[in-house]
């Protein structure tokens, strides 16, 4: 057997340094990463990267920052399994590996000039933050912006500092809701879908970016369709456990589609007939 | 008249040919393993080779995509060093049946599609294929006529057909021509030999017949109508979710990627290992949601990955008719029976 080093392997990693770590909730941390040699990640909002924690393994994580920031990027990670728990133990200065970005993100070219309704449920805010930050970076390119954020309870809320800023802005309508009210919560209680009937949107020129756990998609899409939002203007990001990221390993397959290459962002019209989508 | 694309190897020279070839190159061929089992293994002489064999336990994909393969090596003892790697060796496979050549053609398409998989492609570039024609059915599990893989259709360097006292050999590539030249023992084919090949192929038409009452071109339509068929419920009750069918399939290539770290915790490697969509956790995500929880939907997924999904991506079926999935199924799930049930179901009747 002869061993050779591959220069152009799909499995080559770029070295990333953890610049900073912010504890967001009990189980989620925000990692700021810089690639070696000042390389740009060059991602679209909604794309994901494969993150290597050496010795533990590699996992797909959505990018949480705007592509307008060239120097570093953010990953919001919940400690859920072996790799994420190990990642949570790393500290600033530690190295991780990055492959990607992979897949199709939110179609910025199509979204520009239109109104946006961004609906985040739970950890769904992590990928949507890349879109939200990008839209704020290029605010004049977009019409009306609505952001609806639903969470299990107030202790699970992500990006609290930023949410405070979003609430203050007069060029965005922001509303949040929790499933379970705790004494510190003075806001609305219920599912994020219950906020949809109350908002003022022009369905013809509104594109919806909807990300959350699989269970939220059916009720949310039903509400959106009842508000006459066209199916192809409903954009959702599907979660799968990608292993390769390059459309080979089969783990992310949704019938004939590979979530890692054909998604993770899909428009509802394109996947509504797929039985295994969510 | 001579034909430069064809050569002749008399049977009495076969062992000499294999010995000579195995001196020049690493050579693997089907070897009898007992109880009607065969496996591709390294050989040095013709006597070791089973010229008449039913499909090997594992298809030749094990040379192209090893069960266990290192993709990345890393060392963080002094800073981080990480290199994508592959290990390969030049090897010649002798005696590959047309169904398995078709399987390799499928895998070549998958791994050549962008983003390309360099590990696979480097293995593939270093493997030469000597095909061997089936004169008769291996057993009742094959559906190679239906899949149109019972006759040679490229994908090999040279191809052997047994015509009794001699093999007629089709030379398909420069590498194949080199094998002929470097080993010696071959003679030019005369028109009489080509006539014998033509008459052999004609006789073969009477032996290989469509195994199922369906046209190949209509199978993907049948699957378009059959997603909700009750046939999948029957498989749900029988499947043991062992993953045998996908391991032995010449066109199944799903894999897992894992890390292994050394005992000093200073260096490690990332490798891929064959995985199976038939196993329970295959489509599970963080938080516990599983997108294919039942054996029914996992079996359905397997069949659709052979008969429907690849049609959109690669314009060909990914079943080669080799029969391995049926032969290896402990629960007696037979591909031909499943297809027959689909054809006979109310969804199938709409055709």
């Amino acid at each position: 057997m002869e061993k050779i080093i591959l220069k152009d392997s799909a499995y080559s990693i770029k070295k990333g340094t953890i610049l900073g770590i912010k504890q967001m909730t009990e189980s989620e941390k925000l990692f700021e990463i810089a690639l070696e040699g000042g390389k740009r990640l060059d991602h679209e909002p909604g794309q994901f990267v494969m993150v290597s924690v050496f010795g533990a393994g590699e996992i797909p994580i959505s990018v949480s920052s705007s592509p307008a920031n060239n120097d570093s990027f953010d990953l919001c990670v919940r400690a859920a399994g072996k790799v994420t728990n190990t990642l949570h133990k790393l500290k600033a200065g530690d190295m991780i590996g990055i492959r990607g970005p992979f897949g199709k993100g939110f179609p910025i070219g199509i979204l520009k000039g239109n109104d946006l309704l961004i609906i985040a449920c739970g950890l769904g805010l992590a990928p949507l933050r890349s879109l939200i930050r990008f839209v704020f970076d290029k605010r004049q390119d977009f019409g009306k912006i609505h952001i609806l954020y639903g969470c299990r309870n107030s202790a699970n809320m992500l990006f609290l500092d930023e949410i405070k800023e979003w609430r203050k802005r007069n060029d965005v309508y922001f509303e949040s809701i929790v499933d379970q009210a705790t004494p510190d919560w003075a806001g609305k209680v219920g599912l994020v879908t219950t906020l949809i009937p109350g908002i003022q949107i022009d369905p013809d020129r509104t594109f919806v970016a909807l990300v959350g756990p699989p269970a939220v998609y059916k009720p949310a899409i039903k509400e959106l369709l009842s508000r006459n939002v066209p199916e192809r203007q409903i954009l959702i990001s599907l979660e799968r456990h990608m292993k390769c990221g390059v459309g080979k390993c089969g783990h992310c397959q949704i019938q004939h589609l590979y979530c890692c290459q054909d998604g993770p962002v899909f428009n509802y019209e394109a996947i509504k007939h797929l039985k295994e989508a969510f | 008249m001579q034909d430069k694309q064809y050569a002749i190897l008399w049977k009495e020279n076969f062992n000499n040919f294999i010995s000579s070839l195995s001196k020049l190159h690493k050579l693997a061929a089907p070897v009898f393993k007992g109880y009607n089992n065969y496996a591709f293994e390294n050989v040095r002489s013709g006597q070791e080779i089973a010229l008449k064999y039913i499909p090997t336990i594992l298809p030749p994909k094990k040379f192209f995509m090893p069960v266990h393969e290192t993709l990345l090596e890393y060392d963080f003892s002094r800073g981080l060093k990480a290199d994508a790697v592959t290990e390969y060796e030049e090897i010649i496979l002798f005696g590959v049946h047309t169904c398995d050549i078709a399987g390799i053609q499928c895998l070549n398409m998958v791994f050549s599609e962008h983003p390309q998989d360099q590990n696979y492609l480097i293995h593939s570039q270093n493997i030469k294929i000597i095909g061997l024609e089936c004169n008769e059915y291996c057993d009742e599990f094959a559906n190679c006529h239906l899949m149109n893989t019972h006759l040679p259709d490229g994908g090999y360097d040279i191809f052997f057909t047994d015509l009794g006292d001699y093999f007629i050999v089709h030379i398909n590539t420069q590498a194949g021509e080199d094998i002929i030249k470097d080993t010696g023992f071959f003679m030019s084919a005369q028109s009489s030999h080509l006539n014998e090949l033509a008459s052999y192929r004609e006789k073969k038409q009477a032996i290989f017949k469509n195994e199922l009452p369906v046209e190949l071109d209509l199978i993907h339509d049948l699957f378009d109508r059959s997603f909700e068929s009750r046939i999948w419920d029957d498989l749900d009750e029988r499947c043991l979710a062992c993953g045998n069918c996908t391991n032995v399939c010449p066109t199944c290539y799903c894999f897992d990627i894992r890390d292994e770290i050394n005992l000093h915790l200073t260096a490690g490697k990332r490798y891929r290992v064959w995985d199976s969509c038939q196993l329970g956790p295959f489509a599970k995500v963080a938080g516990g949601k599983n997108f294919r929880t039942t054996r029914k939907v996992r079996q359905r997924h397997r069949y659709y990955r052979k008969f429907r999904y690849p049609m959109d991506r690669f314009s060909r079926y990914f079943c080669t008719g080799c029969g391995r999935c049926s032969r290896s199924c402990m629960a007696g799930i037979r591909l031909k029976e499943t297809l027959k049930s689909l054809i006979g179901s109310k969804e199938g009747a709409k055709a």
Side-chain angles (χ1 to χ4, degrees):
Chain A
M1 282 286 195
E2 189 163 341
K3 188 195 285 181
I4 52 169
I5 291 173
L6 299 174
K7 291 286 170 224
D8 49 357
S9 166
Y11 306 104
S12 298
I13 55 121
K14 292 174 250 191
K15 292 180 201 172
T17 304
I18 300 175
L19 297 181
I21 303 172
K22 193 173 164 193
Q23 185 88 39
M24 307 206 76
T25 69
E26 200 182 334
S27 54
E28 280 101 13
K29 284 184 178 178
L30 187 70
F31 295 85
E32 188 187 356
I33 314 290
L35 293 178
E36 189 181 50
K39 265 186 242 164
R40 288 187 61 195
L41 182 65
D42 198 18
H43 69 288
E44 298 168 7
Q47 282 190 305
F48 70 97
V49 289
M50 296 298 294
V51 178
S52 288
V53 181
F54 296 103
E58 196 183 35
I59 43 161
I61 300 286
S62 296
V63 181
S64 283
S65 50
S66 165
N69 176 9
N70 291 337
D71 300 330
S72 67
F73 58 94
D74 296 342
L75 303 172
C76 176
V77 183
R78 174 180 292 171
K82 182 172 100 174
V83 182
T84 49
N85 273 297
T86 314
L87 180 61
H88 269 235
K89 287 179 186 141
L90 298 185
K91 48 193 190 310
D94 285 343
M95 299 275 265
I96 58 172
I98 298 291
R99 288 197 293 131
F102 292 115
K104 291 189 174 60
F106 293 100
I108 294 300
I110 296 172
L111 301 186
K112 277 186 180 171
N114 287 292
D115 295 347
L116 281 184
L117 165 57
I118 296 170
I119 306 174
C121 193
L123 200 49
L125 188 58
L128 283 172
R129 184 191 179 241
S130 67
L131 179 65
I132 294 168
R133 297 281 292 239
F134 181 78
V135 167
F136 288 162
D137 286 336
K138 310 267 177 189
R139 185 63 190 88
Q140 70 286 357
D141 292 349
F142 298 90
K144 281 201 229 163
I145 310 283
H146 284 81
I147 302 173
L148 308 179
Y149 178 35
C151 241
R152 197 178 312 145
N153 54 50
S154 57
N156 288 125
M157 286 199 132
L158 302 165
F159 302 106
L160 284 174
D161 297 349
E162 286 169 54
I163 284 174
K164 269 184 211 155
E165 298 300 315
W166 301 348
R167 282 186 201 281
K168 283 183 205 156
R169 291 178 75 122
N170 54 20
D171 60 353
V172 57
Y173 172 90
F174 178 88
E175 199 168 2
S176 58
I177 189 165
V178 297
D179 296 353
Q180 305 152 354
T182 43
D184 64 314
W185 181 254
K188 291 187 176 178
V189 179
L191 297 174
V192 70
T193 48
T194 61
L195 299 176
I196 297 171
I199 52 171
Q200 299 296 315
I201 53 166
D202 174 358
D204 289 338
R205 54 166 297 168
T206 298
F207 278 77
V208 181
L210 166 66
V211 188
V216 80
Y217 288 130
K218 272 181 195 158
I221 288 165
K222 198 175 159 199
E223 288 290 343
L224 293 167
L225 295 177
S226 77
R227 296 292 310 265
N228 296 318
V229 178
E231 289 176 344
R232 63 177 177 79
Q233 290 173 211
I234 301 173
L235 306 164
I236 63 178
S237 176
L238 298 182
E239 182 191 6
R240 290 295 184 278
H241 193 157
M242 296 86 172
K243 296 290 176 91
C244 72
V246 290
K248 308 279 188 275
C249 78
H251 282 267
C252 74
Q253 213 179 356
I254 305 165
Q255 295 184 218
H256 64 290
L257 298 175
Y258 283 86
C259 194
C260 71
Q261 292 277 308
D262 302 315
V265 175
F266 295 94
N267 81 60
Y268 177 62
E269 189 181 45
I271 57 156
K272 64 174 180 179
H273 59 285
L274 298 183
K275 300 285 193 296
E276 296 173 358
F278 44 79
Chain B
M1 200 184 95
Q2 292 182 1
D3 190 312
K4 286 207 165 132
Q5 289 208 302
Y6 285 89
I8 299 298
L9 180 70
W10 290 97
K11 287 260 176 89
E12 59 259 36
N13 283 328
F14 178 72
N15 287 348
N16 291 331
F17 160 65
I18 293 296
S19 305
S20 161
L21 188 60
S22 72
K23 283 190 188 93
L24 296 169
H25 303 277
K26 193 165 181 183
L27 181 66
V31 169
F32 181 60
K33 303 299 287 178
Y35 302 104
N36 206 25
N37 287 319
Y38 297 86
F40 276 95
E41 287 188 353
N42 295 335
V43 295
R44 292 189 168 277
S45 73
Q47 288 96 327
E48 294 173 73
I49 298 174
L51 279 170
K52 193 166 150 28
Y53 74 100
I54 70 164
T56 48
I57 302 167
L58 290 179
K61 79 171 171 185
K62 68 178 183 180
F63 296 101
F64 292 78
M65 186 194 167
V67 180
H68 188 287
E69 176 179 14
T70 304
L71 301 173
L72 185 80
E73 290 180 336
Y74 49 82
D75 187 321
F76 38 85
S77 51
R78 261 169 274 153
L80 172 66
K81 192 177 175 326
D83 289 319
V85 295
T86 191
E87 281 186 309
Y88 71 96
E89 63 182 346
E90 288 187 11
I91 190 163
I92 295 178
L93 304 181
F94 174 85
V96 185
H97 284 164
T98 47
C99 56
D100 282 344
I101 294 172
I104 294 162
Q105 287 174 319
C106 289
L107 294 185
N108 285 344
M109 290 176 93
V110 168
F111 289 103
S112 304
E113 192 189 37
H114 287 272
Q116 292 186 326
D117 189 295
Q118 293 300 324
N119 293 66
Y120 176 94
L121 294 176
I122 287 169
H123 298 152
S124 183
Q125 284 154 17
N126 284 284
I127 299 172
K128 303 290 172 273
I129 296 170
I130 303 179
L132 175 64
E133 186 153 7
C134 295
N135 295 1
E136 55 190 9
Y137 273 113
C138 46
D139 60 23
E140 73 276 19
F141 298 115
N143 56 298
C144 51
H145 188 281
L146 174 66
M147 304 319 297
N148 203 19
T149 58
H150 64 305
L151 291 169
D153 187 20
Y156 52 81
D157 294 287
I158 53 178
F159 190 84
F160 276 52
T161 302
D162 184 341
L163 290 181
D165 295 334
Y166 64 94
F167 294 101
I168 186 161
V169 179
H170 180 233
I171 307 161
N172 198 37
T173 64
Q174 183 58 49
E177 204 166 312
D178 293 343
I179 292 171
I180 301 284
K181 274 196 208 135
D182 296 347
T183 50
F185 305 110
F186 289 84
M187 293 169 52
S188 302
Q190 308 297 316
S191 44
S192 60
H193 300 124
L194 294 174
N195 290 340
E196 282 202 41
L197 178 63
S199 102
Y200 157 85
R201 290 264 164 79
E202 208 166 300
K203 277 182 212 144
K204 193 169 166 174
Q205 282 181 21
I207 299 168
F208 287 82
K209 294 233 158 99
N210 230 2
E211 297 87 0
L212 290 166
V214 65
E215 294 288 324
L216 184 64
D217 294 345
L218 297 177
I219 292 182
H220 61 93
D221 288 337
L222 171 67
F223 274 75
D224 274 340
R225 297 189 303 271
S226 301
F227 202 79
E228 302 294 352
S229 170
R230 60 173 176 77
I231 305 303
W232 310 120
D233 296 312
D234 171 52
L235 298 190
D236 187 68
E237 286 168 20
R238 293 154 67 198
C239 176
L240 301 169
C242 69
N244 271 357
C245 51
T246 56
N247 272 343
V248 301
C249 177
T251 69
C252 274
Y253 54 89
C254 286
F255 54 88
D256 193 11
I257 297 183
R258 298 178 196 163
D259 274 32
E260 198 173 86
I261 194 162
N262 70 4
L263 290 173
H264 302 290
L265 308 179
T266 53
K269 62 177 183 179
R270 175 163 301 153
Y271 61 95
R272 72 166 148 214
V273 58
W274 289 4
D275 204 347
S276 171
C277 62
Q278 298 307 298
L279 305 180
F282 187 81
K284 203 170 162 186
V285 299
K289 169 85 181 169
N290 190 335
F291 291 93
R292 282 190 290 273
T293 46
T294 63
R295 287 164 287 178
K296 163 186 165 173
V297 300
R298 296 200 293 268
Q299 276 290 343
R300 179 175 66 191
H301 186 67
R302 176 173 78 89
Y303 276 95
Y304 273 75
R305 286 202 62 163
K306 302 301 146 194
F307 294 103
R308 186 60 195 92
Y309 304 149
M311 288 302 281
D312 294 334
R313 224 172 181 97
F314 304 108
S315 290
R316 70 180 289 167
Y317 293 104
F318 266 41
C319 176
T320 69
C322 72
R324 283 188 180 87
C325 54
S326 307
R327 227 170 266 125
S328 70
C329 181
M330 296 186 289
I333 293 171
R334 310 284 182 238
L335 182 131
K336 276 160 66 178
E337 281 173 23
T338 307
L339 291 182
K340 209 170 170 181
S341 302
L342 288 172
I343 296 162
S345 68
K346 66 177 187 339
E347 292 85 2
K350 281 181 202 159

